[in-house]
Amino acid sequence: MVRRVLASDESGNVISASRPVVVGNTKPINGAMTILNPRTGQCFIKVIHSSVWAGQKRLGQLAKWKTAEETVALVRSLPVEEQPNQLIVSRKGMLDPLEVTMLDFPNITIRGSEMQLPLQALLKIEKIGDMILKATEPKMSLWSCYDNWLSSVSPYTAFSRLVLILRALHINNERAKIILRPDKNTVTEPHHLWPTLTDEQWIKVENQLKDLILADYGKKNNVNVASLTASEIRDIILGMEIQAPSQQRQQIAEIEKQAHEQSQLTAVTTKTQNVHGDEIVVTTTSNYETQAFASKTDWRLRAIAAQNLPLRTKHLYVASDDISDTAYTYVLPKNLLQRFITIADPRTQVAGYLYGMSPQGNDQVKEIHSIVMVPQWATHLQVHLPDKMPSHEYLRDLEPLGWIHTMPNEMSHLSPQDVTIHARILARTADKPKQRWDGEKTVVMTCAFTPGSCSLTAYKLTPTGFEWGRENQNMSMANPEGFSSACFERVQMLLSDRFMGFFMVPEDNGVWNYNFMGPAHRADMSYGLQLDVPREFFDEMHRPNHFINFADLEADAGDEVDLEDEFE
């Protein structure tokens, strides 16, 4: 069975679009998309007129999607019996656009290739280059890249010869053209792309092109060409990534070293007893179960990383894209935000309730005056808060404005876990007049830890989001059923140093972090509040179990009799 394959390449698009050639002005020139059938040598070249790029940004991305659209249009125009069985894209970045646009052809396989086929070198041929540059509108043309080769050689040989020529043109255009014309009597037929040569002449030309390619590789990688194996030469010509011999020898040495270490391991004998009292003797010679366990979430490493959090407070970024024009504007004092970031953990979420009020004469602005740290424990996805809402005399004149929490990574939208938590609080406080959350006034503020900085965004739930979040029970999936961007909308948020805010913490020694003593935290727990600066995430009071061993040592030492010092 003969399989029909098309090789697609968008490099013509990218060269002329994302990096336009400037000739007296900054106007991009025409580009081209090439699609090659390696069995027959048919090459479809679609000219992409420069008017496509007019006024466009992100030209590289546009080129990929434009190539995918033109590829689908070509496949759709072909008769069913001529449509390919598979499409091989020369660049991995083309996979996603093609998979999206080729949904109407489920029987066509789309896959990438490790070979970096230099199909863009076709544009360096005068006939094709002039046709592309002089085109005044988009048009499709069909070329034969094999000329009349298939009358004397197989498609495999013809494809290998084409790759040799294109690779050489890509490396050294002038030198390759000289090699392709062995003598002054060599002619190129008007309907051919390549010079007309005999089989013996083609063999000499192919060897010279191969030497040109290998010499360039040896010069760039400081490799002796004579030391390359036949498989390595083939991979170089096809454009596959290969390692230098020195790197290969280094990897081989490391593998041999590991094998040597395995052979030098001493036998470890372990004696245990089962529930029946039988003695079990196990002897192992491998390093299995002999290494100490090290968790990726080791709290010690995270505690050290948390020491750099104060540096992030110098680079704060507030998202201001796609904000709602009708919602309130929220002003957060910098002293609250800086302390909130400092007491956090880079991986685990930390949350606090927001309380504030509107300044006189401006009801559309909400100034946040307090962050209330309640008992909590969390993961990197969500935070667990008690059902009881904060209550204190210092909060009587303030209204609840929502909650704020940290995130280990920045997201372009509000997470479904946050939507669910916010909706549940709205529903839980609906029948409590003094603690009731207003859906139009309360927001979710996210503080994401981006490299060397923090990004802040504020969201308000829509009625759709409230209904969905109140009914949602799936708190583990990143995109549960029914969740969409219609569940929330961004609101305006500002930072200010014109006024200061204060913190409220639990009365129990200010302990708010229950991540190291999880069983002590319950959803129905009660707590009091006091005015204080919150403790840091890894404060000693938050992890008492880590000090139990020291306490036991001190207790044992107290039972011993002190020796009397004769020199006092």
Side-chain angles (χ1 to χ4, degrees):
M1 174 182 174
V2 179
R3 295 183 61 84
R4 296 178 302 279
V5 181
L6 291 184
S8 175
D9 180 55
E10 90 294 356
S11 54
N13 267 347
V14 175
I15 288 174
S16 60
S18 59
R19 293 187 292 273
V21 178
V22 180
V23 185
N25 55 27
T26 58
K27 182 179 179 181
I29 62 175
N30 295 342
M33 176 197 72
T34 57
I35 300 179
L36 174 69
N37 186 334
R39 184 171 62 87
T40 63
Q42 287 182 333
C43 182
F44 297 92
I45 298 182
K46 175 62 183 282
V47 177
I48 310 298
H49 193 256
S50 59
S51 59
V52 174
W53 318 117
Q56 298 290 336
K57 297 181 179 179
R58 303 181 66 185
L59 299 182
Q61 197 75 5
L62 175 62
K64 290 181 173 60
W65 285 98
K66 186 65 177 175
T67 303
E69 292 175 6
E70 297 295 341
T71 303
V72 175
L74 174 63
V75 173
R76 186 174 282 115
S77 66
L78 294 174
V80 176
E81 61 274 7
E82 294 184 15
Q83 290 181 355
N85 296 100
Q86 61 177 322
L87 285 173
I88 302 174
V89 295
S90 63
R91 301 191 181 179
K92 297 295 180 65
M94 279 293 302
L95 283 176
D96 287 343
L98 263 182
E99 287 175 354
V100 172
T101 54
M102 290 289 290
L103 290 176
D104 294 339
F105 301 94
N107 295 327
I108 298 179
T109 305
I110 303 172
R111 63 186 182 90
S113 173
E114 296 298 329
M115 298 188 300
Q116 298 294 326
L117 294 177
L119 294 181
Q120 68 268 30
L122 285 170
L123 309 186
K124 297 182 180 180
I125 303 172
E126 287 81 356
K127 292 181 180 179
I128 298 178
D130 292 344
M131 183 270 295
I132 295 172
L133 290 176
K134 294 178 181 179
T136 58
E137 60 182 2
K139 66 176 181 178
M140 177 74 77
S141 59
L142 177 61
W143 301 75
S144 176
C145 290
Y146 293 169
D147 290 348
N148 60 348
W149 300 346
L150 295 181
S151 61
S152 58
V153 298
S154 66
Y156 175 82
T157 304
F159 179 72
S160 303
R161 181 183 297 171
L162 178 65
V163 172
L164 265 175
I165 296 173
L166 295 180
R167 178 73 59 194
L169 287 172
H170 184 62
I171 291 174
N172 191 332
N173 188 25
E174 297 301 325
R175 177 62 182 157
K177 288 181 178 179
I178 294 175
I179 294 174
L180 285 171
R181 293 185 178 274
D183 54 65
K184 61 181 181 180
N185 297 323
T186 304
V187 296
T188 302
E189 298 291 339
H191 57 285
H192 285 179
L193 289 177
W194 315 113
T196 302
L197 303 174
T198 63
D199 290 344
E200 291 75 15
Q201 288 176 317
W202 270 121
I203 293 174
K204 295 179 182 179
V205 168
E206 289 169 358
N207 287 328
Q208 289 179 321
L209 293 176
K210 182 186 74 171
D211 294 340
L212 173 64
I213 296 170
L214 294 180
D216 178 78
Y217 177 84
K219 182 179 180 181
K220 289 181 178 178
N221 296 277
N222 195 21
V223 174
N224 183 7
V225 178
S227 64
L228 295 172
T229 63
S231 61
E232 289 174 339
I233 292 175
R234 181 199 62 198
D235 291 344
I236 292 171
I237 293 173
L238 293 177
M240 299 180 67
E241 292 289 338
I242 68 169
Q243 291 180 331
S246 58
Q247 294 179 341
Q248 293 178 346
R249 286 193 294 270
Q250 183 179 357
Q251 290 184 353
I252 293 173
E254 291 177 355
I255 295 174
E256 291 177 348
K257 181 181 178 182
Q258 292 177 357
H260 180 71
E261 292 176 352
Q262 288 282 354
S263 63
Q264 297 298 318
L265 287 175
T266 57
V268 178
T269 302
T270 306
K271 293 183 179 181
T272 57
Q273 284 188 344
N274 59 15
V275 292
H276 303 293
D278 300 330
E279 188 176 79
I280 301 174
V281 180
V282 179
T283 302
T284 57
T285 56
S286 67
N287 57 6
Y288 179 68
E289 290 187 346
T290 61
Q291 296 180 347
F293 171 75
S295 171
K296 289 184 178 179
T297 58
D298 190 358
W299 70 270
R300 293 176 178 84
L301 299 177
R302 287 161 46 206
I304 295 173
Q307 302 302 312
N308 295 324
L309 288 177
L311 300 177
R312 294 176 182 262
T313 60
K314 298 179 181 179
H315 304 281
L316 304 175
Y317 301 96
V318 180
S320 58
D321 299 332
D322 302 327
I323 60 174
S324 174
D325 297 331
T326 59
Y328 292 91
T329 298
Y330 296 84
V331 184
L332 180 64
K334 285 187 177 180
N335 76 308
L336 285 184
L337 178 61
Q338 290 172 347
R339 182 60 187 175
F340 185 73
I341 293 173
T342 304
I343 66 169
D345 174 54
R347 178 173 173 81
T348 306
Q349 290 192 9
V350 171
Y353 289 119
L354 304 174
Y355 284 83
M357 65 174 67
S358 296
Q360 291 183 354
N362 196 343
D363 294 337
Q364 284 300 112
V365 175
K366 297 293 181 182
E367 295 179 346
I368 297 169
H369 290 273
S370 176
I371 295 181
V372 180
M373 304 296 297
V374 298
Q376 59 188 273
W377 69 277
T379 64
H380 66 287
L381 291 176
Q382 69 179 60
V383 62
H384 300 267
L385 305 171
D387 294 339
K388 180 185 176 183
M389 301 305 294
S391 177
H392 194 272
E393 60 178 339
Y394 291 166
L395 304 177
R396 289 177 184 172
D397 297 332
L398 305 178
E399 56 182 325
L401 297 179
W403 59 298
I404 183 174
H405 73 86
T406 61
M407 299 171 61
N409 299 302
E410 186 178 15
M411 298 178 64
S412 60
H413 58 83
L414 188 63
S415 70
Q417 291 83 3
D418 291 351
V419 173
T420 303
I421 293 173
H422 194 83
R424 290 178 180 175
I425 296 177
L426 288 173
R428 192 168 63 242
T429 60
D431 56 349
K432 301 176 182 178
K434 294 184 179 180
Q435 300 177 346
R436 181 178 177 272
W437 279 28
D438 188 337
E440 292 296 323
K441 298 179 180 179
T442 53
V443 295
V444 183
M445 288 188 183
T446 60
C447 177
F449 292 134
T450 48
S453 60
C454 296
S455 297
L456 295 133
T457 314
Y459 299 92
K460 183 189 75 169
L461 254 62
T462 61
T464 303
F466 171 70
E467 294 297 333
W468 178 87
R470 187 173 57 173
E471 303 295 334
N472 179 47
Q473 298 297 326
N474 189 345
M475 297 291 284
S476 58
M477 290 184 61
N479 191 17
E481 182 180 357
F483 177 74
S484 67
S485 58
C487 294
F488 56 87
E489 59 183 21
R490 290 189 180 186
V491 297
Q492 181 71 47
M493 175 185 174
L494 302 174
L495 298 179
S496 174
D497 51 7
R498 296 292 184 89
F499 67 97
M500 308 284 280
F502 62 91
F503 280 94
M504 302 290 292
V505 298
E507 285 182 337
D508 184 16
N509 292 322
V511 174
W512 56 267
N513 178 17
Y514 281 70
N515 284 277
F516 300 104
M517 41 185 177
H521 187 278
R522 303 186 316 276
D524 59 347
M525 67 184 300
S526 61
Y527 58 90
L529 294 175
Q530 63 182 10
L531 183 67
D532 201 354
V533 178
R535 299 178 181 272
E536 294 183 355
F537 189 92
F538 295 98
D539 189 270
E540 293 86 348
M541 296 300 296
H542 289 157
R543 45 191 183 92
N545 292 338
H546 296 167
F547 298 89
I548 291 179
N549 294 336
F550 300 118
D552 293 341
L553 289 175
E554 292 178 358
D556 294 340
D559 297 336
E560 298 178 0
V561 178
D562 292 336
L563 296 178
E564 183 178 357
D565 190 350
E566 300 292 346
F567 296 98
E568 286 186 352

